[in-house]
Amino acid sequence: MKDEIAAARKGYKYNMLENMKGAIFDLDGVIVDTAKFHYQAWKRLANELGFEFDASHNERLKGVSRMRSLEILLEVGGLSFSEDEKLQLADKKNAWYVEYISAIDESELLEGAKAYMEMLKDRGVKIALGSASKNSPIILNRLSITALFDAIVDGNKTSKAKPDPEVFLIAAQELGLRPEECVVYEDAEAGIEAARAAGMRTVGIGSRDILKDADIVVPGLYELMG
Ligand code: B16
Ligand code: MG
């Protein structure tokens, strides 16, 4: 592991990241691709309700809260339900989703994610999670990376969804840092917007076409390893 960190340090690419004190990572799409499990569970719910839900529809759910995701799904199916029924449907989807993610392991980590976080930690940068998911504790445990985080801020600690900056501001506060000392890693447009609103620097994970306002965009964290 020491050799891996030394090699990674040598290739430390982007100067804009040199003076950061805190790194705040989104979960789905940055550290792990849980979108495919969300998709399986939402598709199962749509089929049970009698309509098709395909991969292009699923794109609209990335980075979006659970209840907002359900509303988008019901919009696609042209269905409406009472608030109570919606809560039951969201619970049902979540039970399937939890069943899927409970079976994952470290092989689901996106390329370079763990090594990059370890490299930052080795350089004295504090690490936080800034995710919308209420299931992040299960996911981090399954990936064996819980101990890497100095702060974990997720859907269980927040009341406002991205693009509201709340999740990132709480993360900076828990790290004991000012917003301008933090860099946010995000794959969703609303996440980049939230980080900018929080006054933080941004690294977009994905494509520039979607992440137009990010300071830099890379296809994955592996790209920052040189
Ligand atoms: P849960 P992130 C987000 O994770 C997902 O991208 C989004 O599809 C999901 O609806 C949301 O978490 C809530 O997840 O149902 O597990 O609470 O990208 O913010 O890490
Ligand atoms: Mg995401």
Side-chain angles (χ1 to χ4, degrees):
M1 187 49 67
K2 276 262 175 286
D3 287 346
E4 195 181 323
I5 291 167
R9 197 188 264 154
K10 236 198 260 169
Y12 197 67
K13 247 186 179 176
Y14 293 94
N15 288 337
M16 71 159 280
L17 307 184
E18 283 289 0
N19 58 1
M20 73 162 126
K21 290 192 177 162
I24 307 175
F25 293 86
D26 174 52
L27 183 59
D28 177 27
V30 173
I31 294 174
V32 61
D33 176 20
T34 38
K36 61 187 179 199
F37 302 113
H38 282 296
Y39 177 45
Q40 274 177 40
W42 285 126
K43 197 176 172 60
R44 192 166 163 183
L45 185 68
N47 292 351
E48 204 177 274
L49 293 171
F51 65 93
E52 277 307 318
F53 188 75
D54 64 31
S56 67
H57 295 134
N58 193 57
E59 281 305 304
R60 295 175 60 194
L61 308 189
K62 289 187 179 171
V64 169
S65 75
R66 192 182 306 170
M67 290 313 287
R68 180 64 196 134
S69 296
L70 176 67
E71 278 160 16
I72 294 171
L73 180 114
L74 295 177
E75 216 176 278
V76 170
L79 298 175
S80 59
F81 288 95
S82 68
E83 286 309 307
D84 269 5
E85 288 167 328
K86 281 200 265 187
L87 285 174
Q88 282 173 29
L89 291 172
D91 281 353
K92 189 175 219 180
K93 177 267 172 180
N94 192 55
W96 289 327
Y97 176 68
V98 168
E99 184 187 314
Y100 304 148
I101 56 169
S102 297
I104 67 170
D105 62 23
E106 290 171 51
S107 65
E108 291 288 341
L109 277 161
L110 290 176
E111 188 184 345
K114 191 175 181 187
Y116 183 66
M117 289 190 284
E118 283 171 341
M119 178 191 77
L120 292 181
K121 227 177 157 53
D122 191 51
R123 293 171 72 97
V125 175
K126 288 186 178 164
I127 310 283
L129 187 79
S131 165
S133 178
K134 292 186 169 159
N135 294 301
S136 72
I138 307 175
I139 300 167
L140 297 182
N141 277 333
R142 294 300 308 167
L143 299 174
S144 305
I145 54 170
T146 310
L148 270 176
F149 292 88
D150 299 293
I152 293 177
V153 183
D154 62 13
N156 300 299
K157 282 189 185 169
T158 53
S159 57
K160 296 175 203 145
K162 301 167 189 174
D164 191 283
E166 183 189 35
V167 63
F168 298 130
L169 290 173
I170 296 176
Q173 197 178 39
E174 288 201 9
L175 292 179
L177 296 173
R178 295 193 305 272
E180 61 271 25
E181 295 173 320
C182 299
V183 174
V184 170
Y185 299 77
E186 253 291 349
D187 71 314
E189 204 181 355
I192 295 292
E193 213 185 303
R196 285 168 58 86
M200 298 176 184
R201 286 165 283 168
T202 53
V203 176
I205 306 293
S207 100
R208 176 59 81 182
D209 293 348
I210 294 169
L211 306 169
K212 294 182 189 70
D213 294 330
D215 293 317
I216 61 171
V217 178
V218 291
L221 291 173
Y222 61 88
E223 182 67 25
L224 297 172
M225 304 289 293

